[in-house]
Amino acid sequence: MASNFAARANQALMQSSPKWRLVVWLLLMLSASLWTLQLWQNGARVQSDILAMLPHLQQDKLTERALNQVEATLADQVYIALVAKDETTAIAAAKLLMQKLEDDLVARGMQGALTDIRSADMQLGEALGQFYFPHRFKLLTAPQAEALASQNIESLLEAATAQLYNAFSYANSNLLAQDPLLLFPANLLALAPSSKVRASQGILLANQGDNVAAVVMAKGRESAFNPNAQLAQMTALTQGLDAVKQSYPDINVLKAGALFHAIAATQTAKSEISILGLASLLGVIALVWLAFRSVMPLLLAIVTISSGLLLAVTFTLSVFGELHLLTLVFGTSLIGIAIDYSFHFYCERLSDSECSAKATVAYIFPTVTLAFITSALAYVGIGLAPFPGMQQVAIFCAAGLLGAYLTLILAYPLLAGSRLPEGSRPLALAGTYLANLTKLSNKLTTPLGMGLFALVIVVWCLVGVTKLTVDDDIRHLQQSPASVTEPENQLRQLLSGGTDNQFLLVRAPNEEALLQQLERVSPMLDTAITNQELGNYVSLSRYLPSHQRQDTAYRLQGEIYQTQLDTVLASLGLDENLKPELKAAYLAAKTEYITPAAFFTLEAGKQLAPLWLAPNEANSPVSKGALNDDRASAEHGAEHGADQGAIVLLGGIQQIDALKARFAHDESVQLIDKVADISAVMGHYRLLTLKLLALALGIALLLFSLNFGFKKAAVVVAVPALAALLTLATLGLTGSPLSLFHALALILVFGIGIDYSLFFASAQNHGKAVMMAVFMSACSTLLAFGLLAFSQTQAIHYFGLTLSLGIGFTFLLSPLILTTTQALTNNPLLTTKKS
């Protein structure tokens, strides 16, 4: 059936005019060019965000919202530390940098690259004091609550007396008249998390050995992974830092933020695209020239590659709307594959110089078509994984192969009509290689030779495969250079460990239950800090006590204002006329509560608002911007069965497994570790890809059996299968861990290896032309993928290394198909009837 279809298609090609074929090809390329231009004008772009390449996690809606909130909060933050020998210089340098960044913001009409430029907020404490003071009867620190619960009023009186005589305390006559035991200052201080940083003159400061670091923060207006935004943000920062360096030459600058990782990734990708792509292209040109010594094959090789790249870009932009830089890095390998069709065409022309270009295309059409289908299916196999990065690579390369295939079928019959110079030497070399390989193969077909050969292969595979290890860590997808990571680590230490990508998601059926859950989690995290599992954390429980906790504090303070007020006023020497006002204020506060809705209207609250996940946006206290009653919100959430959530940011994580163990059996608390989750997904798809490879081998065996017969088809499929197995064994012997990128590369080893096997299986006249074409194809592919093995990005390195090994083994094994085919033909007991 397959052979009948190929014959009919071939007959149709022979009847069609080469001129009309060329016209169709030109119209196709023109349409692709115009459509690509239209896509660029409509907003298609080059993407460098590494997150856009990662697999999508299947999460519930609340977890997905939490991940989006954390990424949006942390992604575009920029941190700059100016390290000086003294505090005065550090503060002056920080103020100068902030002024320069503000000037850039104003100069661009408030459309500057960096916004929200800040350091320490000196008015934050005053604003928090004004917000919490009316709720002072609902606030108690743990020691205060313990003293009141045990009716130890004397300890509180002693603490208040000590504050009265402390020159640096908050005590004054106004405060004493409303808070005689001076409980509120301690509660206000408890809001500030313990940290190594301090504030002076509006600048955040931290000590670094004998030096002082001033920290300036800003937020990118656009994503740091947008190349235009990168340029604008770095320009603003560079101008500001240049001004600082000019005024304070001894300043040392530390930088941290996604911006600097994105820039490093962009620079690495651009460098590799230009170097690897250029080297691959030059290698292919050299191959073509050395083999054919003619300008026309060289020009047509460039046309073939160009048309492939054009369709690759067109299809990728049409499907995704963007083109990732890593796709372009992987796509450089397309040069080494797309040119294979040109090699096979010209090698056949060398072997039969009297044959016309049209007849040569018709002769290789069935094999080339089958080879294109199998290679395209191999790329489609890569795209089956829910991994946006690999899906782009699959579409890019499959479309590129389509462009090269159509160029061969439609353009070559007319454009490649000129005769080639005498090409006997390359064909003679290919023939000599085949002859020597045949002699070796004949020796291996003896019982002793086959036994030794099988023993070597089995031992090699067994030892290598048993030594294979796995590593699915997603961080191998991109590794920033030390020039980016070292300053960032130093700055994180200054900021008490900073904030990590992992965080806790606490959930509850309503607002009050959620606040209580947060209060329950905080002591557990404090214990983790004591045990050096964690450096710090940021939780809303510090700022938003639950109703239960507020009611408890109010009840305990009743000991002061309802039973002991006379004693308190007398002990502190205060006017007893204050008693009615204090009692009235206490009683009036009974129904007044600190609520999330009210807190999030503060500037400090707005900064922490992303940590609060209301049941939906319409019900969010932030979006309403009004002081809604939290009980009504809780009832609404319970009524609709919608969980509420809160994020607890974690920093300075030292023992992630110990943290996970703390909350392993707590359904209301989930430690979100996106890196680990994506790595687990990659491990799952690594296994799935290897199973897919086995399935593809089985399907190929059935498909080829229709054309070649079962035993010959088994030989054709056995070559890439054995090449894949030898590649895995070699990876194990060299200590390279197995990852999804190795597995995806093996899919391509199968797709490309099948091409070589098919051409040898279909070879006539002893296969000299096929040997020469396969040699050139293997060289060009090894040039492309071998160069990828030198990539600084580990994922690309793994991909290139695996393909280089696989194609190398396939090249060595595929010519043996000729001798095996001859053995099948000459031995009637081994032959099978073709379908």
Side-chain angles (χ1 to χ4, degrees):
M1 184 181 299
S3 58
N4 290 336
F5 173 78
R8 288 196 297 269
N10 202 359
Q11 185 178 2
L13 277 175
M14 286 296 292
Q15 293 174 353
S16 62
S17 167
K19 291 183 180 180
W20 281 110
R21 285 201 228 176
L22 182 62
V23 169
V24 171
W25 179 80
L26 289 173
L27 288 174
L28 179 65
M29 294 300 123
L30 179 61
S31 301
S33 301
L34 293 175
W35 178 244
T36 303
L37 182 62
Q38 180 71 19
L39 290 172
W40 282 119
Q41 292 177 343
N42 289 340
R45 61 196 177 109
V46 175
Q47 171 69 273
S48 63
D49 184 357
I50 201 66
L51 298 176
M53 298 286 284
L54 302 183
H56 296 302
L57 296 175
Q58 296 298 321
Q59 304 280 14
D60 61 82
K61 290 184 178 180
L62 190 65
T63 304
E64 187 175 350
R65 283 181 59 199
L67 284 165
N68 292 338
Q69 287 278 64
V70 171
E71 288 175 4
T73 303
L74 302 179
D76 302 322
Q77 293 288 339
V78 175
Y79 302 87
I80 304 294
L82 303 172
V83 184
K85 294 181 180 179
D86 59 88
E87 185 173 306
T88 303
T89 304
I91 291 174
K95 287 183 175 180
L96 177 59
L97 176 60
M98 293 174 70
Q99 183 60 52
K100 291 296 181 181
L101 295 178
E102 292 284 358
D103 290 345
D104 177 76
L105 191 61
V106 173
R108 295 174 183 265
M110 303 307 291
Q111 295 297 317
L114 295 169
T115 62
D116 194 18
I117 301 155
R118 65 199 185 280
S119 187
D121 189 349
M122 300 302 289
Q123 298 179 339
L124 181 62
E126 183 180 347
L128 288 174
Q130 292 175 355
F131 174 75
Y132 284 106
F133 189 73
H135 303 285
R136 60 193 177 279
F137 302 108
K138 300 288 183 73
L139 296 171
L140 284 175
T141 64
Q144 291 170 351
E146 185 179 350
L148 288 173
S150 61
Q151 297 184 343
N152 184 12
I153 198 78
E154 290 78 11
S155 64
L156 297 179
L157 286 169
E158 291 175 5
T161 303
Q163 287 193 62
L164 285 172
Y165 292 100
N166 185 345
F168 299 100
S169 75
Y170 293 93
N172 56 54
S173 58
N174 185 44
L175 180 59
L176 281 167
Q178 300 179 74
D179 181 22
L181 281 177
L182 300 175
L183 301 179
F184 180 70
N187 283 279
L188 190 61
L189 288 173
L191 295 175
S194 58
S195 175
K196 301 175 184 177
V197 299
R198 63 187 190 280
S200 178
Q201 301 180 43
I203 301 298
L204 199 64
L205 300 173
N207 291 331
Q208 189 189 48
D210 296 331
N211 299 324
V212 178
V215 181
V216 175
M217 294 164 282
K219 185 174 179 64
R221 185 178 295 278
E222 297 181 69
S223 170
F225 296 100
N226 181 319
N228 293 331
Q230 284 179 22
L231 179 61
Q233 291 174 28
M234 275 307 298
T235 299
L237 276 175
T238 302
Q239 290 174 351
L241 291 172
D242 286 346
V244 169
K245 279 287 188 180
Q246 188 173 358
S247 300
Y248 307 97
D250 295 332
I251 286 283
N252 184 30
V253 179
L254 301 177
K255 295 181 277 191
L259 171 65
F260 308 107
H261 292 276
I263 289 173
T266 302
Q267 291 174 344
T268 300
K270 286 182 177 179
S271 172
E272 291 184 354
I273 289 169
S274 58
I275 294 174
L276 300 183
L278 180 62
S280 180
L281 184 60
L282 291 177
V284 168
I285 290 172
L287 270 175
V288 174
W289 180 257
L290 290 173
F292 307 117
R293 301 298 178 93
S294 175
V295 174
M296 200 60 195
L298 193 56
L299 292 177
L300 277 181
I302 295 173
V303 168
T304 305
I305 293 170
S306 301
S307 60
L309 291 175
L310 174 59
L311 284 195
V313 172
T314 302
F315 274 73
T316 305
L317 293 181
S318 298
V319 175
F320 298 98
E322 62 184 19
L323 189 61
H324 203 285
L325 281 173
L326 283 182
T327 300
L328 291 175
V329 174
F330 278 107
T332 58
S333 62
L334 180 63
I335 296 171
I337 304 173
I339 199 64
D340 288 0
Y341 302 138
S342 183
F343 289 159
H344 283 291
F345 171 84
Y346 275 109
C347 288
E348 286 297 335
R349 290 218 69 191
L350 274 181
S351 65
D352 187 359
S353 59
E354 299 300 322
C355 189
S356 67
K358 181 179 177 181
T360 303
V361 169
Y363 173 73
I364 66 173
F365 172 77
T367 307
V368 168
T369 301
L370 198 55
F372 163 69
I373 291 172
T374 53
S375 296
L377 287 176
Y379 281 116
V380 170
I382 288 179
L384 290 178
F387 196 149
M390 289 298 102
Q391 288 171 353
Q392 267 207 27
V393 170
I395 293 292
F396 187 92
C397 292
L401 282 181
L402 176 62
Y405 172 77
L406 291 176
T407 302
L408 172 69
I409 302 302
L410 299 176
Y412 273 50
L414 187 63
L415 296 182
S418 59
R419 290 182 178 275
L420 292 175
E422 178 60 38
S424 58
R425 179 170 174 74
L427 286 173
L429 291 174
T432 302
Y433 176 80
L434 264 181
N436 291 330
L437 199 62
T438 301
K439 291 179 181 178
L440 176 62
S441 177
N442 291 333
K443 292 180 180 178
L444 291 177
T445 54
T446 63
L448 179 61
M450 290 182 67
L452 289 175
F453 181 72
L455 180 64
V456 171
I457 295 296
V458 170
V459 170
W460 188 347
C461 291
L462 281 177
V463 174
V465 172
T466 53
K467 286 189 174 184
L468 265 181
T469 57
V470 296
D471 184 359
D472 299 303
D473 195 335
I474 189 60
R475 284 168 290 198
H476 292 159
L477 190 62
Q478 177 181 317
Q479 291 178 312
S480 297
S483 59
V484 173
T485 57
E486 289 179 3
E488 181 171 272
N489 291 335
Q490 292 181 45
L491 206 157
R492 286 171 66 87
Q493 292 303 315
L494 291 176
L495 299 176
S496 303
T499 303
D500 293 321
N501 292 322
Q502 297 90 346
F503 61 90
L504 292 181
L505 174 59
V506 182
R507 63 178 78 211
N510 56 62
E511 189 174 276
E512 172 62 15
L514 179 58
L515 293 173
Q516 291 181 26
Q517 290 280 29
L518 287 171
E519 290 169 351
R520 182 179 62 83
V521 167
S522 291
M524 300 172 70
L525 293 176
D526 291 332
T527 304
I529 292 175
T530 303
N531 294 343
Q532 297 184 338
E533 300 167 10
L534 182 68
N536 61 84
Y537 67 92
V538 179
S539 174
L540 287 169
S541 66
R542 190 185 300 275
Y543 305 92
L544 294 173
S546 65
H547 279 211
Q548 182 185 62
R549 183 171 157 192
Q550 292 181 64
D551 287 339
T552 300
Y554 184 81
R555 178 178 55 80
L556 289 174
Q557 289 201 49
E559 179 71 16
I560 301 170
Y561 295 101
Q562 291 185 322
T563 61
Q564 299 285 342
L565 192 54
D566 290 330
T567 303
V568 169
L569 294 176
S571 299
L572 296 174
L574 299 176
D575 190 345
E576 64 179 12
N577 292 328
L578 294 174
K579 183 176 179 180
E581 293 182 11
L582 287 169
K583 276 194 169 184
Y586 173 78
L587 293 173
K590 183 175 183 179
T591 58
E592 297 297 322
Y593 289 90
I594 300 167
T595 64
F599 176 72
F600 291 133
T601 61
L602 299 175
E603 188 60 35
K606 290 177 183 177
Q607 294 178 16
L608 294 169
L611 303 184
W612 185 259
L613 302 171
N616 53 59
E617 293 301 321
N619 199 43
S620 168
V622 183
S623 63
K624 286 186 175 182
L627 307 183
N628 297 329
D629 181 71
D630 62 314
R631 287 179 176 174
S633 175
E635 290 171 4
H636 180 92
E639 177 185 346
H640 289 78
D643 276 357
Q644 288 190 243
I647 296 166
V648 180
L649 298 178
L650 306 176
I653 296 175
Q654 301 296 325
Q655 301 178 45
I656 186 70
D657 291 335
L659 279 176
K660 287 181 178 179
R662 286 186 180 276
F663 304 103
H665 304 292
D666 192 338
E667 294 183 358
S668 62
V669 183
Q670 181 183 2
L671 198 155
I672 306 295
D673 186 354
K674 187 174 181 180
V675 170
D677 291 342
I678 292 177
S679 297
V681 170
M682 290 184 67
H684 169 72
Y685 283 103
R686 169 178 48 79
L687 291 173
L688 185 62
T689 302
L690 292 175
K691 292 177 182 177
L692 180 65
L693 175 60
L695 178 63
L697 289 168
I699 293 173
L701 178 60
L702 292 176
L703 180 64
F704 297 155
S705 295
L706 299 176
N707 197 51
F708 298 119
F710 179 78
K711 291 188 176 179
K712 189 173 181 181
V715 174
V716 171
V717 173
V719 168
L722 185 56
L725 192 59
L726 288 171
T727 299
L728 287 173
T730 306
L731 291 173
L733 291 171
T734 56
S736 180
L738 186 64
S739 71
L740 174 61
F741 302 102
H742 293 92
L744 292 172
L746 287 175
I747 291 283
L748 285 190
V749 168
F750 161 73
I752 299 170
I754 281 290
D755 288 1
Y756 298 169
S757 298
L758 284 172
F759 279 109
F760 275 111
S762 306
Q764 297 179 9
N765 301 324
H766 307 293
K768 288 191 294 183
V770 172
M771 186 68 250
M772 179 181 171
V774 167
F775 171 77
M776 295 182 67
S777 297
C779 286
S780 63
T781 305
L782 287 172
L783 267 174
F785 292 118
L787 290 171
L788 288 184
F790 292 100
S791 173
Q792 297 178 35
T793 304
Q794 214 163 3
I796 299 176
H797 163 74
Y798 287 158
F799 196 84
L801 176 64
T802 306
L803 269 162
S804 298
L805 290 171
I807 297 304
F809 285 126
T810 305
F811 171 74
L812 292 175
L813 294 171
S814 57
L816 297 177
I817 291 177
L818 279 177
T819 55
T820 308
T821 302
Q822 291 171 0
L824 288 172
T825 304
N826 296 331
N827 190 340
L829 297 176
L830 297 176
T831 57
T832 53
K833 183 180 179 181
K834 290 184 181 180
S835 301

